[in-house]
Amino acid sequence: GYRLKAAFVLNFLKMMTLPETYAADAPVRVCVVGARALDEFSTALEGLMAGAHRLSVVAPSEACEVVFVAGGE
């Protein structure tokens, strides 16, 4: 399911290096395409930390640093 994929994305994000100009208190926004995937990613990732940044799971209509596209979307 998408919870396993969310865990994979979280591990990837923990290894990601953001530009030095990225605000220290800014969240890392993860856009998720697909309604079911968005719900499961929100449950699994919202508010967790990736390095020094809190994660925020958002719909793809918002600006984001990472995009996950669910199969079939």
Side-chain angles (χ1 to χ4, degrees):
Y2 289 110
R3 288 186 187 259
L4 180 59
K5 292 174 183 172
F8 176 78
V9 169
L10 176 61
N11 286 332
F12 172 76
L13 290 172
K14 287 180 179 180
M15 294 183 284
M16 181 175 74
T17 302
L18 293 167
E20 289 182 20
T21 56
Y22 198 78
D25 60 346
V28 171
R29 293 163 301 211
V30 180
C31 288
V32 179
V33 178
R36 182 171 156 228
L38 179 60
D39 288 342
E40 290 193 37
F41 266 68
S42 291
T43 300
L45 298 180
E46 187 68 37
L48 294 180
M49 300 296 286
H53 298 275
R54 188 163 306 281
L55 297 179
S56 177
V57 179
V58 297
S61 61
E62 298 183 39
C64 52
E65 287 70 48
V66 178
V67 177
F68 176 84
V69 179
E73 296 297 327

